Amino acid sequence: MAARRRRRRLRKQTRRQLVVWGAVAVVITVLWVVANWTTVWPVLLTVLAVVALGGAGWALLRAHRQAVGRDRAWRAQEEARARELSMAQVDALTWQEFETYVAELCRRDGCREVVVSGKSGDLGADVVGYLADGRKLVIQCKKYAAHRSVSSQDMQKFVGTARLEHGADVALFVTTCRAFTKEALGLALRQDIVALHRDLLGSWVKGAHLESLIPLNGSGGGIRRRPR
């Protein structure tokens, strides 16, 4: 207890000394400024001007960043609206027409020997073809309502057939709905399946090249096809 009291007294004394010395320093500074006012005031004025300019510059920079942020948000909204407008025609297609349309997009982007299955029992290969560099492309097309999600079961079926049954180098799951479930997307990433949801499909419809879309929502574009 006695030791604690001594420590408290020392802390109080130290605080008092700091207050006293601080007051002395302030008084000395004020006296020095008064005695040297003719020398000090230009420096003080310069410092105030620099602070004011710095504050104005910071405010302008902040306003610029906010304006850029608003512009980016506006552009993103406009791009989303444009994708939705382009997807309106796709939404009007039947599932058979949708598969044919996806095949046409592949041909537009330089794919060769593109074939549409157009029948049940195709084991997940709705569209088959070859990319320009020779990799075999196998596509599963799901014409779902925009609010739906691709389930893990859908993805499991495609994973089980895309490479084992069809020898895909690039396996592409294309859907008109907005999302894949967390489990479905995780499975796609682990199994190197390229998952194209509604937004990416909208970009493809509007002219984005398939090769540029392949890395965006999966783990890459598959392996290069080895010569036989």
Side-chain angles (χ1 to χ4, degrees):
M1 292 294 292
R4 288 183 181 176
R5 289 172 183 168
R6 282 196 297 272
R7 283 196 295 271
R8 289 174 184 170
R9 282 198 297 269
L10 286 172
R11 289 196 197 101
K12 289 181 180 179
Q13 290 175 0
T14 302
R15 283 197 292 269
R16 289 195 197 101
Q17 290 175 355
L18 288 173
V19 170
V20 170
W21 284 110
V24 170
V26 169
V27 170
I28 292 173
T29 301
V30 170
L31 292 174
W32 183 86
V33 169
V34 171
N36 299 274
W37 179 247
T38 55
T39 305
V40 170
W41 77 263
V43 177
L44 183 61
L45 188 62
T46 302
V47 170
L48 291 175
V50 169
V51 170
L53 288 173
W58 179 81
L60 288 173
L61 179 61
R62 183 181 179 185
H64 172 71
R65 287 177 176 173
Q66 290 175 344
V68 169
R70 287 193 295 269
D71 180 69
R72 286 176 179 170
W74 176 80
R75 289 179 184 275
Q77 290 174 355
E78 289 300 308
E79 288 176 3
R81 288 194 189 99
R83 283 196 300 268
E84 282 303 307
L85 287 174
S86 65
M87 287 297 295
Q89 296 177 344
V90 177
D91 290 336
L93 301 175
T94 65
W95 66 266
Q96 297 96 332
E97 292 170 337
F98 177 57
E99 292 177 2
T100 302
Y101 182 69
V102 169
E104 289 299 322
L105 291 176
C106 292
R107 295 188 186 102
R108 182 200 72 187
D109 289 347
C111 295
R112 299 178 287 104
E113 302 176 35
V114 180
V115 177
V116 182
S117 170
K119 61 182 180 180
S120 60
D122 54 17
L123 298 177
D126 296 322
V127 178
V128 178
Y130 293 88
L131 295 171
D133 60 5
R135 289 177 293 170
K136 186 174 184 180
L137 176 66
V138 176
I139 302 177
Q140 167 80 87
C141 302
K142 285 295 182 185
K143 180 70 167 49
Y144 284 162
H147 65 273
R148 287 188 58 180
S149 297
V150 173
S151 68
S152 177
Q153 288 77 13
D154 288 334
M155 187 60 70
Q156 287 174 25
K157 293 176 183 176
F158 188 49
V159 167
T161 60
R163 290 188 172 82
L164 293 177
E165 292 290 335
H166 306 295
D169 295 318
V170 178
L172 193 67
F173 198 118
V174 183
T175 181
T176 51
C177 63
R178 294 193 181 282
F180 293 78
T181 64
K182 182 179 179 181
E183 294 76 15
L185 186 56
L187 182 59
L189 293 173
R190 291 194 300 275
Q191 298 297 326
D192 196 24
I193 304 295
V194 183
L196 254 64
H197 52 65
R198 185 179 182 85
D199 287 343
L200 292 176
L201 175 58
S203 296
W204 194 13
V205 171
K206 280 188 63 63
H209 198 282
L210 177 59
E211 291 279 5
S212 69
L213 295 173
I214 284 174
L216 294 183
N217 200 35
S219 58
I223 58 174
R224 289 197 173 274
R225 189 170 179 81
R226 295 187 181 87
R228 295 178 180 177

